[in-house]
């Protein structure tokens, strides 16, 4: 019975991860709602509300209180970086196919290793760094073989991947003491409102008239409102499923499943959006995934 429950959690994690990715692409590219900052704002508003409900009312995770102004400042810094990573990822989806977006996103271990050395002087064994060579080489090959390559979209995707890695390193650095450590659900509950406060003026200034356009679209097409609300809720459930899978398995299992999830997302996105792919691009992505798997093994042994 327990194994069935775990399988169900993993299936939910896959469904929410891939679902929000494909729906983001559909809204931003195919549907024509070209407002990635506002879309991220909707995600963060949903995360703020639903994470509070899940912790305070449903008791999915124990409530952890912020104990000082300094701790809140650290959480705010993480929230801002988290916000940049999500916005960058959503902007990249306007210009790049999901398959290539996932290939670039798979290089997160490379950026994590770089930031760990620069910021904490923490070094791994030489074999760990060797495994990062195919991770980077695969993306270079995939970039050269991507029929729909877009330089700005690529830069945004790289920036989002780097920001995601920076957040994970900073999280360990800033919230390292026992009194400051927060589980992922509580951290999200405190980070999401910070992201909302940063994104709201940014959306109004950089995506002029977006609120009025969104209201007009919702009036003209009720399906759009359903897509937007469902997409925003799904963005929260990605984090919830991530937390539950980690709780009932292990962080290492989550890494391995994440590698497979990227490959599944690529196949599904190509089937749905019919974006052209080249043999060179697929070979590059396969090399990156192989490198990430080797990196995970090397980290586990070291």
């Amino acid at each position: 019975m327990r194994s069935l429950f775990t399988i169900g959690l993993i299936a939910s994690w896959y469904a929410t991860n891939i679902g929000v990715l494909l729906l983001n692409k559909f809204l931003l590219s195919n549907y024509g709602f070209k407002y990635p900052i506002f879309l991220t704002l909707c995600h963060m508003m949903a995360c703020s509300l639903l994470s509070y409900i899940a912790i305070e009312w449903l008791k999915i995770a124990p409530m952890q209180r912020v104990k000082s102004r300094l701790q809140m400042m650290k959480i705010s810094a993480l929230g801002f970086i988290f916000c940049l990573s999500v916005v960058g990822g959503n902007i990249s989806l306007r210009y790049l196919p999901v398959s290539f977006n996932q290939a670039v996103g798979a290089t997160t271990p490379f950026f994590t290793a770089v930031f760990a050395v620069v910021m904490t002087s923490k070094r791994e064994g030489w074999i760990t760094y060797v495994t990062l060579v195919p991770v980077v080489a695969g993306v270079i090959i995939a970039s050269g073989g991507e029929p729909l390559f877009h330089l700005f979209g690529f830069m945004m995707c790289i920036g989002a991947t780097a920001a995601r890695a920076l957040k994970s390193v900073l999280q360990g650095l800033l919230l390292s003491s026992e009194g400051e450590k927060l589980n992922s659900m509580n951290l999200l509950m405190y980070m999401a409102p910070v992201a909302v406060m940063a994104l709201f003026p940014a959306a109004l200034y950089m995506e002029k008239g977006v609120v009025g356009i969104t209201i007009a679209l919702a009036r003209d097409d009720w399906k759009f409102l359903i897509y937007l609300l469902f997409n925003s809720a799904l963005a929260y459930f990605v984090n919830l499923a991530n937390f539950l899978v980690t709780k009932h398995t292990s962080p290492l299992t989550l890494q391995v499943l994440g590698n497979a999830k990227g490959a599944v997302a690529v196949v599904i996105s190509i089937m749905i959006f019919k974006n052209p792919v080249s043999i060179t691009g697929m070979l590059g992505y396969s090399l990156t995934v192989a490198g990430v798997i080797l990196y995970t093994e090397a980290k586990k042994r070291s």
Side-chain angles (χ1 to χ4, degrees), residues 164-238:
R164 198 157 50 240
L166 178 61
K167 176 192 161 288
S168 67
V169 174
L170 274 178
Q171 187 174 326
L173 202 60
L174 296 178
L175 304 177
S176 56
S177 69
E178 284 302 319
E180 288 186 327
K181 283 182 180 177
L182 298 172
N183 64 46
S184 60
M185 285 292 93
N186 277 271
L187 187 60
L188 179 66
M189 183 179 70
Y190 292 119
M191 285 195 310
V194 173
V196 169
M197 287 188 286
L199 288 167
F200 190 72
L204 291 180
Y205 178 73
M206 298 175 71
E207 299 176 337
K208 295 188 185 302
V210 65
V211 176
I213 292 167
T214 304
I215 292 170
L217 277 171
R219 284 176 177 169
D220 293 342
D221 184 3
W222 62 270
K223 288 181 183 177
F224 168 74
L225 185 60
I226 299 297
Y227 290 145
L228 189 61
L229 290 174
F230 180 65
N231 180 244
S232 301
L234 209 56
Y236 167 72
F237 285 111
V238 166

Side-chain angles (χ1 to χ4, degrees), residues 152-168:
F152 178 70
F154 176 70
M155 290 170 64
M156 286 292 101
C157 199
I158 285 285
T161 305
R164 198 157 50 240
L166 178 61
K167 176 192 161 288
S168 67

Side-chain angles (χ1 to χ4, degrees), residues 28-255:
L28 292 167
S29 185
N30 296 61
Y31 196 89
F33 184 71
K34 299 178 180 180
Y35 305 101
I37 299 175
F38 184 78
L39 182 64
T40 309
L41 173 63
C42 293
H43 290 179
M44 293 302 105
M45 288 171 68
C47 287
S48 299
L49 176 63
L50 294 175
S51 58
Y52 180 79
I53 291 171
I55 293 171
E56 183 67 24
W57 295 357
L58 302 179
K59 309 295 182 186
I60 285 176
M63 173 70 78
Q64 295 173 292
R65 303 291 180 184
V66 175
K67 296 179 180 178
S68 67
R69 182 180 294 180
L70 179 61
Q71 187 185 10
M72 191 64 229
M73 288 174 63
K74 292 175 180 179
I75 292 168
S76 299
L78 290 172
F80 184 70
I81 295 167
F82 174 62
C83 174
L84 290 177
S85 71
V86 179
V87 169
N90 284 341
I91 291 174
S92 74
L93 284 171
R94 272 195 63 191
Y95 302 98
L96 298 174
V98 173
S99 52
F100 187 58
N101 177 282
Q102 288 293 285
V104 177
T107 60
T108 301
F110 168 76
F111 290 102
T112 304
V114 170
F115 287 130
V117 170
V118 172
M119 300 174 69
T120 68
S121 299
K122 180 184 177 183
R123 285 175 168 77
E124 305 287 349
W126 66 271
I127 191 69
T128 305
Y129 294 114
V130 169
T131 61
L132 291 173
V133 174
V135 172
V136 177
V139 169
I140 294 170
I141 293 168
S143 301
E146 175 53 53
L148 300 178
F149 181 82
H150 190 284
L151 182 59
F152 178 70
F154 176 70
M155 290 170 64
M156 286 292 101
C157 199
I158 285 285
T161 305
R164 198 157 50 240
L166 178 61
K167 176 192 161 288
S168 67
V169 174
L170 274 178
Q171 187 174 326
L173 202 60
L174 296 178
L175 304 177
S176 56
S177 69
E178 284 302 319
E180 288 186 327
K181 283 182 180 177
L182 298 172
N183 64 46
S184 60
M185 285 292 93
N186 277 271
L187 187 60
L188 179 66
M189 183 179 70
Y190 292 119
M191 285 195 310
V194 173
V196 169
M197 287 188 286
L199 288 167
F200 190 72
L204 291 180
Y205 178 73
M206 298 175 71
E207 299 176 337
K208 295 188 185 302
V210 65
V211 176
I213 292 167
T214 304
I215 292 170
L217 277 171
R219 284 176 177 169
D220 293 342
D221 184 3
W222 62 270
K223 288 181 183 177
F224 168 74
L225 185 60
I226 299 297
Y227 290 145
L228 189 61
L229 290 174
F230 180 65
N231 180 244
S232 301
L234 209 56
Y236 167 72
F237 285 111
V238 166
N239 292 280
L240 178 61
N242 190 305
F243 170 74
L244 292 174
V245 170
T246 306
K247 182 180 177 181
H248 290 276
T249 56
S250 70
L252 186 62
T253 302
L254 194 74
Q255 273 190 318

Side-chain angles (χ1 to χ4, degrees), residues 2-25:
R2 183 176 174 80
S3 60
L4 285 175
F5 176 72
T6 305
I7 291 168
L9 281 180
I10 292 169
S12 300
W13 183 64
Y14 266 54
T16 53
N17 264 276
I18 296 171
V20 77
L21 187 68
L22 297 179
L23 199 47
N24 282 349
K25 176 65 177 176

